[in-house]
Amino acid sequence: MASRVMVRMAPALKGRRGPLTLTQAAVQRLKELQTNCAPEEQNKTLKIGIQGKGCSGNAYTLSWVAEPKKFDEKVTQDGVTVLIDSKALLTLIGTEMDWFEGKLASQFVFNNPNIKGACGCGESFLV
């Protein structure tokens, strides 16, 4: 007995949004980091990835890389370029990267619509 598969064409998408958007605070902080680093480090680009760890299973990783890998996604906004690891791309689609500066902590914050749960401390998440 043969099974049937039905395929439908998706409606045309209106405008393509990048996988990641940066707030003005994040753009400003990334510019500061690139300006204030050592001269030999100024040609490096921030790369965002995801690593399996923490209570909920996944955590963001940030690293400076000299060259992108073959399938890394390049996001450029307001003169700042950020790379997304190819393995993290589907998890990060639609995410907003922000910079938070408070009395006790200063950090990049990811507002990710794909997250289904997070641990109490906010370090790890579940997709």
Side-chain angles (χ1 to χ4, degrees):
M1 181 166 140
S3 60
R4 294 177 47 186
V5 176
M6 185 174 176
V7 177
R8 289 188 185 163
M9 295 296 293
L13 297 176
K14 296 179 183 176
R16 181 179 182 271
R17 260 184 82 183
L20 179 77
T21 56
L22 306 169
T23 64
Q24 287 304 309
V27 168
Q28 185 63 35
R29 180 61 180 156
L30 288 171
K31 286 181 179 179
E32 288 172 10
L33 288 172
Q34 290 175 337
T35 302
N36 297 333
C37 67
E40 63 273 3
E41 301 289 320
Q42 287 185 349
N43 293 331
K44 293 192 175 184
T45 306
L46 183 69
K47 183 174 180 177
I48 303 169
I50 292 179
Q51 180 180 11
K53 73 180 219 182
C55 309
S56 296
N58 296 305
Y60 297 106
T61 61
L62 300 174
S63 58
W64 294 99
V65 296
E67 302 219 2
K69 290 191 177 177
K70 187 175 182 180
F71 296 109
D72 287 347
E73 182 79 14
K74 183 178 177 182
V75 175
T76 303
Q77 181 181 322
D78 298 328
V80 173
T81 300
V82 175
L83 299 173
I84 300 175
D85 187 289
S86 60
K87 296 173 191 156
L89 187 57
L90 290 177
T91 305
L92 289 173
I93 289 177
T95 299
E96 176 189 68
M97 181 178 174
D98 193 12
W99 173 252
F100 170 77
E101 199 160 328
K103 292 181 180 180
L104 298 176
S106 298
Q107 61 189 358
F108 285 107
V109 177
F110 294 89
N111 300 314
N112 189 337
N114 305 309
I115 292 177
K116 303 297 181 216
C119 67
C121 68
E123 294 272 327
S124 63
F125 60 93
L126 176 67
V127 180

